[in-house]
Amino acid sequence: MSGRDRWVLPRGTASDREWDVAVTARRPDWHHTGLRVTTLAPGQTRTLPGSDWEHIVVPLSGGVHVTAVTADGHRDTAPLAGRTSVFAGPTDTAYVPAGARITVRATAGRARVAVAGALVSGGPDVSARDRPRFRHLAAAEVPVERRGAGSASRTVRNFGTPGTLDADSIIACEVITPAGNWSSWPPHKHDTERPGEETALEEIYYFETRSTDARGTDPVGYQRVYASDDDRPIDVCAQVRSGDVVLVPHGWHGPSAAAPDADLYYLNVMAGPGPERAWLICDDPAHAWVRDTWPDLPFDERLIPSAANPTAPGGTG
């Protein structure tokens, strides 16, 4: 299978007991990245055991309290204030290094939370002294990047990228695409290790959508993934809604298109087998020229909250 049945996980099809979404390495042909999403009533908890996976706790709506306990009993805690929704602006997050047991508890009200994960290099043989440390990253510390221009305008919240977070393997960010715009454009790939040019990274897209139509019509987006070589076929063109997941094991991916009546959000989680934690990509040559048009186009300012810490246009996603 090269298409929808293998790599597209509609809401409810990847659940596991307490988790609404549970993408793990138990999935066939999936090795380096993971994502769990759950909904918590006030005071309710979820726990993940310590393992050779590192994690980032990302409140999607509501606030949570995070506790991380290492094998030797060291405890770190972080109250995450969260936000009203993914479209309200950046959130504070908690990075938990490999080996620590994680408990997430909803605080004042109902909460929806994502726990992104990555298999770390060296596994359990790496000393805890060599691991990155637990970190509570405040929302105000999250760089918000203005990426693209014109109908390819989108904003990227870089809370888990190498320039912001010290981690072993995981790379994570959020992308907000206003209604009618395209992101992950031009199409690009990161499926081959080429030192200094490209890194091999699996990628998870977790989507949420929001209607901009007062009549409350069905808010949808679209995601495209296609083969970058003949030896690894993949062909995905998926309609996506809140709670859906698309997996990118390899290949060109993009656009992530927001319908004209719906804003589009996605959480990206990336990691790979290579020795370098870097987000190095290669554009599809058929569409790479699009970047040259951006300096002559205005940036679409929709969905940029006033509290954002904007950086210059560029990059991918």
Side-chain angles (χ1 to χ4, degrees):
M1 293 183 292
S2 61
R4 182 178 182 89
D5 291 340
R6 188 174 187 180
W7 306 117
V8 180
L9 311 176
R11 182 173 184 169
T13 63
S15 60
D16 181 15
R17 296 188 296 273
E18 298 177 324
W19 301 94
D20 304 328
V21 174
V23 177
T24 71
R26 293 194 299 269
R27 179 170 294 277
D29 300 318
W30 202 253
H31 309 287
H32 304 284
T33 57
L35 178 68
R36 291 176 171 87
V37 178
T38 191
T39 303
L40 299 170
Q44 195 172 19
T45 65
R46 297 284 186 268
T47 299
L48 292 175
S51 68
D52 52 357
W53 286 65
E54 61 186 342
H55 295 91
I56 303 176
V57 181
V58 184
L60 301 173
S61 62
V64 297
H65 189 275
V66 179
T67 302
V69 182
T70 63
D72 62 3
H74 178 78
R75 178 184 297 263
D76 288 294
T77 63
L80 303 185
R83 53 195 167 180
T84 56
S85 83
V86 296
F87 296 101
T91 181
D92 51 347
T93 60
Y95 169 77
V96 182
R101 184 180 75 250
I102 306 170
T103 300
V104 179
R105 175 175 54 86
T107 51
R110 185 179 177 87
R112 187 162 173 82
V113 62
V115 183
L119 181 66
V120 304
S121 57
D125 297 330
V126 177
S127 167
R129 293 191 302 271
D130 299 324
R131 295 287 187 210
R133 295 182 179 276
F134 180 95
R135 182 179 178 189
H136 177 192
L137 183 72
E141 297 179 271
V142 176
V144 178
E145 179 183 351
R146 298 154 56 99
R147 190 171 290 176
S151 60
S153 299
R154 63 274 201 190
T155 55
V156 184
R157 303 166 183 161
N158 288 308
F159 61 84
T161 53
T164 304
L165 179 70
D166 182 25
D168 270 300
S169 302
I170 195 168
I171 298 172
C173 66
E174 298 176 320
V175 180
I176 304 293
T177 309
N181 284 10
W182 284 17
S183 56
S184 283
W185 192 256
H188 56 281
K189 73 180 184 77
H190 36 72
D191 60 13
T192 304
E193 284 291 328
R194 296 186 296 144
E197 297 184 45
E198 184 180 354
T199 44
L201 302 169
E202 286 180 344
E203 185 163 14
I204 299 171
Y205 279 72
Y206 166 81
F207 293 94
E208 295 202 2
T209 58
R210 179 179 68 175
S211 177
T212 60
D213 183 350
R215 292 169 293 187
T217 52
D218 182 23
V220 301
Y222 297 87
Q223 178 68 42
R224 180 80 171 109
V225 187
Y226 56 100
S228 57
D229 58 57
D230 294 335
D231 296 329
R232 292 183 288 182
I234 187 168
D235 186 6
V236 170
C237 186
Q239 187 178 80
V240 294
R241 295 174 174 82
S242 290
D244 291 353
V245 172
V246 174
L247 304 179
V248 183
H250 51 257
W252 307 111
H253 42 288
S256 303
D261 60 353
D263 298 323
L264 181 68
Y265 161 95
Y266 52 87
L267 169 64
N268 281 149
V269 186
M270 291 170 279
E276 182 183 13
R277 178 179 175 249
W279 190 7
L280 301 179
I281 63 99
C282 174
D283 288 337
D284 182 342
H287 302 283
W289 61 269
V290 169
R291 292 186 187 274
D292 296 333
T293 68
W294 291 347
D296 299 322
L297 296 173
F299 187 82
D300 187 340
E301 299 283 347
R302 290 179 294 164
L303 304 184
I304 302 178
S306 59
N309 176 23
T311 59
T316 186

